[in-house]
Amino acid sequence: MGRPRSFDETAVLDAAAAEFRLHGFADTSTEQLCEAAGVRRSSLYNAFTSKEELFVRALERYVTVFRERRAQVLADAPPSGAERLRALMEGVVEEERAAREQGHAAGCMVVHSRMTPGLRERDERVARILDRDQRELVDLLEGVIQGGRLDGSVRADADPREGALLVATVISGLRVTAQSGVEPGLLRQIALNGLHSLLG
């Protein structure tokens, strides 16, 4: 029987995801992962077998956590569709503001993963996780926009699917733009401008 693990696997996944979201797969070293997680290389590989396996597990954990956060933001937001969309955008901007105080952008593991050449092809699980996350986000946003059309806070002629893809694209763009050093106030204005065509 193998030795019991001396670390919290979920905590290791969260620590790894925090490194991958900032630096991406290729630019995150095993040494960085061990230091961030507070474990030895041998313990890390005993649990996850490889950096690639740890990445896949951390990506799955990352999208799960952010799916729950989005659901919580929507649950806490005012009921109108427009306010729910604004709350989602504000959450992204606030996270970037907090990260900026630490001297860096918040980053995004999903955005990094989509932009890394060959990563989807390297492991089909990565492609499945990314595709599912995109589908769930767009479906969620489509429902919010449909609700906004019914309550009058979103333009009646706004196409819910196109609008959902627009909002998802703006969110990804905010993550990338923040990495170039754009300050949170301007990020917020970009987000509001992105919503303008839906809200009129």
Side-chain angles (χ1 to χ4, degrees):
M1 186 171 71
R3 291 179 299 172
R5 292 178 187 163
S6 59
F7 59 84
D8 180 336
E9 187 172 291
T10 299
V12 171
L13 291 174
D14 286 339
E19 293 299 305
F20 285 128
R21 73 177 293 185
L22 280 177
H23 308 293
F25 175 78
D27 292 331
T28 301
S29 68
T30 301
E31 289 72 22
Q32 285 173 274
L33 294 168
C34 289
E35 183 177 351
V39 298
R40 293 177 299 182
R41 179 189 291 260
S42 59
S43 298
L44 198 69
Y45 284 144
N46 282 339
F48 300 105
T49 70
S50 67
K51 176 183 168 182
E52 289 79 3
E53 184 65 24
L54 174 58
F55 178 84
V56 173
R57 296 277 302 282
L59 180 61
E60 181 70 63
R61 168 73 179 163
Y62 180 87
V63 299
T64 298
V65 168
F66 271 81
R67 181 170 60 247
E68 293 170 354
R69 287 185 187 176
R70 287 193 295 259
Q72 189 60 54
V73 167
L74 291 176
D76 292 343
S80 81
E83 288 304 316
R84 287 153 68 87
L85 291 173
R86 290 191 186 101
L88 283 173
M89 291 292 195
E90 189 61 38
V92 173
V93 173
E94 176 58 25
E95 191 174 32
E96 293 296 345
R97 184 201 61 75
R100 185 180 175 90
E101 290 182 353
Q102 302 300 315
H104 55 78
C108 179
M109 197 173 178
V110 168
V111 172
H112 266 302
S113 300
R114 288 178 181 154
M115 295 174 64
T116 301
L119 190 56
R120 292 172 59 93
E121 293 75 22
R122 186 171 186 161
D123 191 317
E124 64 179 10
R125 293 175 297 172
V126 172
R128 286 201 303 268
I129 293 168
L130 294 176
D131 289 346
R132 187 184 71 235
D133 181 65
Q134 175 76 358
R135 185 171 59 251
E136 289 177 348
L137 174 58
V138 170
D139 287 347
L140 174 70
L141 293 169
E142 186 174 1
V144 173
I145 292 168
Q146 287 173 334
R149 286 178 51 176
L150 291 174
D151 65 36
S153 64
V154 171
R155 289 174 46 172
D157 61 350
D159 181 275
R161 195 70 178 175
E162 290 179 8
L165 288 168
L166 169 66
V167 174
T169 300
V170 171
I171 290 172
S172 294
L174 291 174
R175 295 300 194 188
V176 174
T177 303
Q179 292 183 337
S180 68
V182 173
E183 55 91 17
L186 185 51
L187 290 177
R188 181 175 290 105
Q189 190 58 49
I190 292 169
L192 293 176
N193 288 342
L195 293 178
H196 181 73
S197 63
L198 293 174
L199 308 183

